[in-house]
Amino acid sequence: MNKIVVFAPPAHGHVNPSLPVVRELVRRGDQVIYYNHEDFREKIESTGCTFRPYPQTDMSATKITEILRGGNLAAVINLIMKSTEILLPFSIEELEREKPDMVIIDSIAVWGRMAATIQQLPTVAFMAFFLMYGTEEEKRLPINLRHILQWLPEIPGTVIPFIRIIFKYGFRMLPPFKSFLPLRGDNNLFFTSKEFHPHSPLLDDSFHFVGPSISGTTPDTHFIPAENTGDVIYIALGTIHGRRDFFLQCLETFADYPAHFILSVGNEIDPESLGIIPDNFSVHKHVPQLEILQRVKAFISHAGMNSIHEGLYFSVPMLLIPQQFEQLFGARCVANQGAGLFLDHHTRFKQFTNQELRDSLDKLLGDSCYKDNADKISLSLKKTGGYNQAADKIQQFILQNQ
């Protein structure tokens, strides 16, 4: 039996892809100890692994959500480095006591990567987002003065903890600078396909493309009126970006559109607060996304990593409305492969018109090339092994290090 330790941040988009892999490792008889915020205990323990809470820091799902709604990724890095000052000594002690065969780190779990390096333990990194460095998509990301002014105040709060950590532990625990975020391990698992990921000069033999961790599901028609025989469009902005202004714009723009719309608004918005709902809309706090995606004609999404892969896994063309740079990068990847369109106005602190939104959906539905290209990406994702392949790779890496 192998002993495996997992370090991940308290963020749904980072925890969720890991859970099917952990569940499979436990099913195979491995002992998995998963460290995270107390808020994630129930979700993590449902895999059958052992949950261990982090000590108190400012980093929580609520805090990360609050920062990301403002679109300031520099503030997230600031939070990570401040939390690492507390979590690094804790993680070192835990690894010293547990003496695992392998340490799995999320690609932003700086404390886990540093602790494993100090303890000279082998690592596997779960890559929760695309590797941007050196890609054509990265070069085209728009940066303006407002972004710079937003990032500047976060620099001292990021650099000072970093310097203190170096003085305490030395340079030996630092990962290569070019790959600082996302962090790289000795081996790295991408929850995507090689065909879909853009080329980066950092990609080497340590990267393995295992695809999204999606199991078989049955299409759900519960949220679609029985009398509906036309196209169905699904709209959702994920667990963080519950933008009431955007949802209201969708209701206004598509009120007379010849399709049925399923709108998922998340926990922060009361559907009744949106006023009169057009007859061709159904509005919910949550829907079973994987099941819904098997029935829809298009997906209007924020371009989160999980949502992109879930939509394309089921061959759904996408109209992407990114809210931050990481999502804009993913949106460009989808558009560059011809499987969707994107409106990047929100990342530039601007607003698109109702007509621009409607025209984009018209274009997406009116040209079969988007569906054809989504089919191609879907095939590449389904050819990977998903969570089974990920578990195979992890056990293989452990054998190679024994």
Side-chain angles (χ1 to χ4, degrees):
M1 178 178 69
N2 302 311
K3 179 186 279 191
I4 301 167
V5 161
V6 183
F7 292 109
H12 294 282
H14 292 253
V15 172
N16 290 349
S18 73
L19 298 182
V21 183
V22 170
R23 184 178 291 110
E24 178 60 21
L25 289 168
V26 171
R27 188 194 68 79
R28 297 182 184 191
D30 289 337
Q31 179 186 3
V32 181
I33 304 171
Y34 200 127
Y35 291 87
N36 210 293
H37 191 280
E38 187 67 39
D39 290 348
F40 286 80
R41 175 185 289 273
E42 183 178 354
K43 176 179 282 193
I44 290 170
E45 286 185 337
S46 71
T47 66
C49 75
T50 299
F51 173 82
R52 297 268 175 83
Y54 288 135
Q56 183 65 42
T57 71
D58 290 336
M59 186 169 59
S60 66
T62 300
K63 184 64 175 178
I64 292 173
T65 296
E66 176 186 319
I67 293 172
L68 289 179
R69 280 181 181 158
N72 190 350
L73 292 181
V76 176
I77 298 173
N78 185 326
L79 179 63
I80 289 171
M81 291 313 303
K82 287 180 178 177
S83 300
T84 296
E85 273 202 281
I86 298 171
L87 296 179
L88 178 54
F90 166 80
S91 301
I92 292 171
E93 290 179 4
E94 292 296 299
L95 293 180
E96 175 65 28
R97 185 182 70 250
E98 295 297 340
K99 294 180 171 52
D101 301 296
M102 178 65 68
V103 179
I104 295 175
I105 57 165
D106 178 86
S107 55
I108 66 169
V110 176
W111 56 94
R113 179 67 169 88
M114 289 180 173
T117 301
I118 290 170
Q119 294 292 342
Q120 297 183 315
L121 292 168
T123 55
V124 170
F126 282 177
M127 309 302 286
F129 44 89
F130 292 111
L131 189 61
M132 300 184 193
Y133 179 82
T135 63
E136 289 300 317
E137 289 79 3
E138 180 198 40
K139 296 172 185 176
R140 292 199 293 271
L141 290 176
I143 297 177
N144 58 34
L145 180 60
R146 185 167 175 180
H147 289 118
I148 295 172
L149 293 176
Q150 188 184 56
W151 297 339
L152 282 176
E154 306 299 333
I155 293 176
T158 302
V159 173
I160 292 172
F162 188 74
I163 292 173
R164 285 198 293 255
I165 290 170
I166 292 175
F167 269 105
K168 185 173 182 179
Y169 298 100
F171 287 93
R172 62 193 174 95
M173 50 57 184
L174 294 179
F177 180 74
K178 288 182 179 178
S179 64
F180 189 74
L181 288 178
L183 295 166
R184 293 163 65 181
D186 301 316
N187 284 282
N188 308 279
L189 299 184
F190 266 117
F191 296 108
T192 187
S193 65
K194 187 174 183 179
E195 294 86 346
F196 184 43
H197 193 286
H199 173 72
S200 167
L202 291 183
L203 290 175
D204 56 29
D205 292 339
S206 71
F207 287 90
H208 308 270
F209 295 87
V210 299
S213 296
I214 297 175
S215 57
T217 57
T218 303
D220 193 320
T221 58
H222 173 71
F223 293 87
I224 303 169
E227 65 274 14
N228 181 77
T229 58
D231 294 339
V232 179
I233 314 298
Y234 174 45
I235 306 173
L237 292 183
T239 57
I240 292 176
H241 302 285
R243 291 192 57 150
R244 189 172 182 273
D245 60 335
F246 172 69
F247 296 144
L248 288 171
Q249 185 177 17
C250 287
L251 293 174
E252 181 179 347
T253 300
F254 300 121
D256 62 347
Y257 203 87
H260 181 77
F261 291 81
I262 300 172
L263 174 58
S264 177
V265 297
N267 284 326
E268 302 300 318
I269 296 177
D270 181 355
E272 293 186 2
S273 72
L274 298 177
I276 298 175
I277 306 300
D279 292 340
N280 62 334
F281 269 80
S282 57
V283 181
H284 312 273
K285 280 184 172 291
H286 297 286
V287 299
Q289 181 159 295
L290 293 179
E291 289 81 357
I292 291 292
L293 286 170
Q294 296 175 67
R295 177 64 178 80
V296 302
K297 194 80 169 182
F299 183 14
I300 301 177
S301 168
H302 64 306
M305 190 74 165
N306 293 335
S307 291
I308 283 175
H309 283 86
E310 288 169 1
L312 293 176
Y313 186 88
F314 293 112
S315 300
V316 182
M318 310 187 77
L319 174 53
L320 300 163
I321 317 293
Q323 305 297 305
Q324 52 178 283
F325 276 119
E326 173 198 337
Q327 295 164 3
L328 176 56
F329 185 90
R332 287 188 179 277
C333 291
V334 174
N336 286 349
Q337 298 219 17
L341 302 167
F342 67 89
L343 296 171
D344 66 352
H345 298 58
H346 291 172
T347 64
R348 294 183 285 114
F349 307 102
K350 295 183 178 181
Q351 183 61 41
F352 44 78
T353 66
N354 290 7
Q355 193 61 51
E356 286 173 316
L357 180 60
R358 188 179 181 112
D359 288 347
S360 296
L361 183 59
D362 282 341
K363 183 176 181 180
L364 189 72
L365 297 176
D367 190 334
S368 62
C369 75
Y370 295 107
K371 178 64 168 68
D372 293 341
N373 289 319
D375 287 338
K376 293 176 184 177
I377 298 174
S378 173
L379 182 61
S380 77
L381 295 175
K382 290 177 178 177
K383 284 195 304 183
T384 61
Y387 60 87
N388 279 301
Q389 184 185 357
D392 289 343
K393 290 289 185 183
I394 292 166
Q395 292 185 326
Q396 177 185 331
F397 301 148
I398 292 174
L399 283 173
Q400 290 171 351
N401 281 282
Q402 288 178 343

